[in-house]
Amino acid sequence: MKRNDLQLYFIMGTGNVLNKKPITVLEKALQSGITMFQFREKGPNTLTGQAYENFARECQKLCQQYNVPFIVNDDVELAVKLGAEGVHIGQEDLPVSMVREKIGNMILGVSVHSQTELQTALQYGADYVGIGPIFSTTSKNDAKPPSGTEFLQQVRIQYPELPIVAIGGINCLNAHTVCKAGADGIAVISAICESEDISNTVSTFKSLFTDS
Ligand code: 3NM
């Protein structure tokens, strides 16, 4: 994978979007220049069965039109079935080794919160790691307490070439701190799902990682 693909990593499921059509939000985000997308259909009242798969396919098709990698959260079977570009897993999901075995050389992203988790992820060939929640978030029910940027900074110093994406409570006002701490990019849900002006939000975020 290209490290630059992590610059602005948008994550969305139907549960994250109020008063708008989720697919319209994704299309606007793609038009505006997001660099990676994660399909994350989790939480109460989310789609199941055929509707779940259909929505995933719809999102994938749009990502293909914009040439943006389509990553599936957790659901390895779905990722393989759809021929997604990759899978992202947390620590509650299948072990990293098992996921790597099932997905071959697809992109594998792993959320890590400690050295031990980081070492396991690297041992089994994670292509990138997600570090968070940097700030407090309301988008993940079981999120850990906010960690700040210390661990992120440590990992960057330890592994200068490792693709790292920061996540959790990141918005246009605080994103510069994770950029300074060494992240290759940011992953966001609410900053885009709840934006009144997606195009402006996307360019604000991207300018942090492209201007220096
Ligand atoms: N994972 P928002 S925080 C999906 O810490 C997710 O691993 C996290 O949403 C982690 O941008 C998070 O709205 C939610 O804060 C990110």
Side-chain angles (χ1 to χ4, degrees):
M1 69 170 290
K2 301 196 296 286
R3 274 171 83 173
N4 279 352
D5 285 345
L6 293 177
Q7 270 183 10
L8 184 48
Y9 190 169
F10 178 41
I11 304 174
M12 188 195 74
T14 53
N16 301 122
V17 183
L18 298 171
N19 309 321
K20 280 185 251 180
K21 270 184 80 179
I23 201 73
T24 311
V25 172
L26 175 58
E27 181 151 35
K28 187 73 203 168
L30 287 163
Q31 280 165 358
S32 306
I34 58 162
T35 55
M36 193 131 147
F37 175 68
Q38 185 186 123
F39 176 77
R40 183 174 181 276
E41 189 64 13
K42 269 195 171 168
N45 306 318
T46 44
L47 301 173
T48 53
Q50 197 56 49
Y52 165 77
E53 185 178 321
N54 291 348
F55 180 54
R57 286 185 188 278
E58 226 185 319
C59 292
Q60 181 184 28
K61 201 166 145 203
L62 266 188
C63 289
Q64 284 166 345
Q65 279 170 25
Y66 288 85
N67 214 7
V68 163
F70 173 81
I71 309 293
V72 174
N73 183 278
D74 288 5
D75 191 343
V76 177
E77 269 69 39
L78 182 76
V80 171
K81 185 171 180 185
L82 265 54
E85 272 73 33
V87 173
H88 184 95
I89 55 168
Q91 296 294 324
E92 321 73 35
D93 307 317
L94 285 178
V96 188
S97 55
M98 200 180 284
V99 176
R100 176 48 90 201
E101 212 168 279
K102 285 173 184 266
I103 67 172
N105 59 6
M106 278 161 66
I107 297 171
L108 175 56
V110 182
S111 298
V112 298
H113 313 88
S114 65
Q115 277 298 329
T116 314
E117 291 175 0
L118 174 67
Q119 294 311 321
T120 307
L122 295 181
Q123 184 183 348
Y124 294 104
D127 295 290
Y128 74 88
V129 294
I131 295 183
I134 305 289
F135 307 107
S136 79
T137 177
T138 51
S139 305
K140 181 174 160 77
N141 293 337
D142 56 351
K144 294 190 185 306
S147 63
T149 55
E150 199 178 320
F151 182 54
L152 165 59
Q153 277 174 282
Q154 251 178 40
V155 179
R156 171 51 73 223
I157 291 166
Q158 239 180 320
Y159 298 99
E161 303 299 326
L162 175 67
I164 304 174
V165 68
I167 188 164
I170 298 172
N171 58 41
C172 289
L173 299 176
N174 62 24
H176 65 282
T177 62
V178 297
C179 179
K180 247 173 78 184
D184 291 298
I186 56 172
V188 298
I189 297 179
S190 52
I192 290 181
C193 285
E194 292 169 19
S195 171
E196 297 290 328
D197 184 347
I198 291 176
S199 160
N200 187 42
T201 302
V202 168
S203 10
T204 305
F205 281 139
K206 282 185 75 181
S207 65
L208 287 170
F209 289 91
T210 45
D211 303 347
S212 49

